[in-house]
Amino acid sequence: MNIRLNLKAYLDGELAPREAAEVEAALSQDPLLKTELEQLRAISHVLAYSAPQMDPVGLPETVERLRQAPPCPSPWMLPAGLALVAVVAISAVALIMGTGVRPPFYEDSPMPTPKHKAPFRGATGFKILVDAKVVVSVKNLEESIQKVEEIAKSFDGRIESSRTTGSGEPHQQTMLVSVPSAKLQEAVDKFKALGVLDKAMSKKGSIAVSKEAEEIPPAERTVSVVLRLVPPR
Amino acid sequence: MLQAVQERSSITDSLDITQIARDHYDSVFRFCARRVGSDAASDVTQETFVTAQRALRSFRAGSSLKTWLLGIANNECRRHARHWRRSPQALELIEAATPSPEATWISSQALHAAMKKLTPEQKEAVVLVELDGLSYEEAAKVAGVPPGTMKSRLHYAFATLRKALTGETE
């Protein structure tokens, strides 16, 4: 293998012992490689040295605001009537660069827990909070985001979260929307009409429903949809 | 199952968001300041903790609180940039007034020029690891890419910087 590919990782102590030993063996035999390593070390040092020193401000204000925020109630302590609200998860993805980009890591974490019911886990260990996914391609991400908000509002729903992903210019948007369960299908149809539907990525009905999920009474089950917005190529 | 849910809840309930803010405010503030500038950093940092407060139940016990917060902060910085309809000014290095004594062959101006040769993804990788001080795994989580991709981006970023600074050609 090309030792140079591991040189920076070796410098940062990010290699496994066996790989590090390979780099060290190569360094002992190649003076040019050793020079490169020292150059990388110098660049790293200068970069760190160039970091501006900033004194954080605003901690008291932030703590005060956090204290004033209402506590998040336990899911199972909420009134049963709220169980009528279904959650629609909209994952809106627009790809500008032509390749898929993974969402930020914390979107790999379980989605925000619906306030009206307890979380539950599927056979894979992931919570099942998304029952359907809709993926569409759109030409204008900002306009589409606004349309999603309008659709949610028109169905007496709300945006639970809206996350931009992709490095550099935002080119994908993940949104979590709640709508009343009775209006779910109609809302989903509206979301599908936002752009070109990616049938392969879209799923209908419960996703990965496990035996545990079957223990959830149907009336309290969260019905959700994931929608991705992808600009046409 | 209810017991499992209650156990999970007790873990998240035990996390005091105000204490989390006290513990992590400085690192989140500096992270944000490098991306949105020092003027907007306090607002974006506050929004980060407010978002974290709402999403605290989705935090996985055993995960790194720091990288979870920085992931939220990264998203808030992007949201801020989108709101103001501009690219994150982030990733722009402010040159130190005094050059590093250990690398006098690298001038601040040359480094600044060399950084412009990097792709946005490479710049992000450099800032996450070199300035924010994250490990490859932590940086990968914040950027939302596999660790291998982060390693690769750093390799090519530093290869580009080294060649630009030494005048070496292919």
Side-chain angles (χ1 to χ4, degrees):
Chain A
M1 69 167 292
N2 187 345
I3 290 292
R4 282 183 169 78
L5 292 175
N6 276 341
L7 211 50
K8 170 61 177 159
Y10 170 78
L11 184 65
D12 293 334
E14 293 276 356
L15 290 182
R18 192 173 64 84
E19 291 176 311
E22 288 173 357
V23 172
E24 284 168 1
L27 284 169
S28 66
Q29 296 171 6
D30 187 344
L32 283 178
L33 195 65
K34 202 169 182 178
T35 300
E36 282 185 32
L37 179 71
E38 291 311 314
Q39 289 170 339
L40 295 180
R41 194 194 307 276
I43 293 167
S44 179
H45 185 86
V46 172
L47 279 167
Y49 205 82
S50 300
Q53 298 301 312
M54 291 164 290
D55 294 325
V57 294
L59 174 60
E61 293 83 356
T62 295
V63 170
E64 185 57 31
R65 186 174 168 193
L66 293 172
R67 278 183 177 152
Q68 288 174 359
C72 184
S74 296
W76 52 84
M77 295 296 284
L78 289 173
L82 288 179
L84 292 175
V85 177
V87 172
V88 181
I90 300 165
S91 181
V93 179
L95 303 179
I96 287 173
M97 303 303 288
T99 56
V101 178
R102 290 181 59 202
F105 83 96
Y106 58 89
E107 291 179 8
D108 291 342
S109 297
M111 290 225 179
T113 305
K115 295 182 177 65
H116 61 282
K117 62 181 287 186
F120 54 97
R121 289 180 177 276
T124 59
F126 294 103
K127 282 194 291 186
I128 302 172
L129 299 174
V130 177
D131 291 85
K133 183 163 74 174
V134 178
V135 181
V136 292
S137 301
V138 298
K139 290 180 180 175
N140 188 311
L141 185 58
E142 296 226 353
E143 278 182 10
S144 300
I145 293 168
Q146 194 169 349
K147 284 178 183 173
V148 168
E149 293 169 349
E150 289 168 359
I151 292 169
K153 194 175 179 183
S154 71
F155 287 107
D156 300 321
R158 64 179 181 277
I159 306 295
E160 296 282 357
S161 68
S162 181
R163 294 167 176 165
T164 302
T165 55
S167 52
E169 289 293 317
H171 54 269
Q172 65 184 38
Q173 189 77 12
T174 301
M175 303 173 78
L176 187 70
V177 182
S178 298
V179 297
S181 57
K183 299 177 180 178
L184 176 69
Q185 188 56 53
E186 203 178 343
V188 167
D189 291 340
K190 290 275 187 184
F191 294 138
K192 284 181 176 176
L194 284 173
V196 179
L197 180 67
D198 184 339
K199 292 182 180 176
M201 294 297 291
S202 302
K203 295 178 181 178
K204 197 173 181 181
S206 298
I207 295 174
V209 173
S210 70
K211 289 181 180 176
E212 282 189 1
E214 290 168 3
E215 295 171 10
I216 304 294
E220 297 177 7
R221 181 171 297 176
T222 298
V223 183
S224 49
V225 173
V226 175
L227 173 69
R228 288 181 179 170
L229 304 177
V230 186
R233 298 182 181 181
Chain B
M1 186 184 67
L2 185 60
Q3 185 183 358
V5 169
Q6 287 172 333
E7 283 174 1
R8 174 182 167 76
S9 178
S10 69
I11 291 169
T12 51
D13 286 349
S14 68
L15 295 172
D16 176 3
I17 188 65
T18 57
Q19 188 57 48
I20 291 171
R22 289 191 184 92
D23 292 344
H24 296 273
Y25 190 87
D26 288 4
S27 58
V28 173
F29 178 92
R30 291 192 173 99
F31 180 95
C32 293
R34 291 187 188 107
R35 287 155 179 80
V36 300
S38 54
D39 289 345
S42 59
D43 286 345
V44 178
T45 303
Q46 186 175 106
E47 287 308 315
T48 296
F49 284 104
V50 170
T51 300
Q53 185 179 36
R54 289 198 296 262
L56 202 53
R57 287 186 182 282
S58 71
F59 174 70
R60 283 178 181 160
S63 305
S64 163
L65 199 53
K66 177 185 170 187
T67 48
W68 184 71
L69 286 169
L70 294 185
I72 295 173
N74 203 31
N75 208 40
E76 290 297 332
C77 290
R78 286 173 177 168
R79 194 192 310 276
H80 175 88
R82 195 184 61 185
H83 180 76
W84 294 100
R85 296 184 183 279
R86 64 186 182 194
S87 298
Q89 29 173 279
L91 319 185
E92 291 295 334
L93 296 174
I94 300 175
E95 298 156 19
T98 312
S100 163
E102 293 186 25
T104 51
W105 59 276
I106 302 174
S107 72
S108 297
Q109 292 82 355
L111 178 64
H112 200 68
M115 285 293 289
K116 289 182 178 175
K117 294 179 182 291
L118 304 184
T119 66
E121 291 80 11
Q122 290 171 344
K123 278 186 189 175
E124 182 184 45
V126 167
V127 174
L128 285 168
V129 172
E130 301 297 330
L131 303 192
D132 296 326
L134 302 181
S135 69
Y136 285 15
E137 187 177 356
E138 290 172 332
K141 283 182 177 177
V142 173
V145 299
T149 302
M150 182 55 60
K151 179 185 169 188
S152 175
R153 285 179 181 176
L154 280 164
H155 162 73
Y156 287 107
F158 269 71
T160 300
L161 291 175
R162 194 185 69 79
K163 285 174 182 171
L165 291 166
T166 60
E168 183 180 313
T169 55
E170 295 288 349

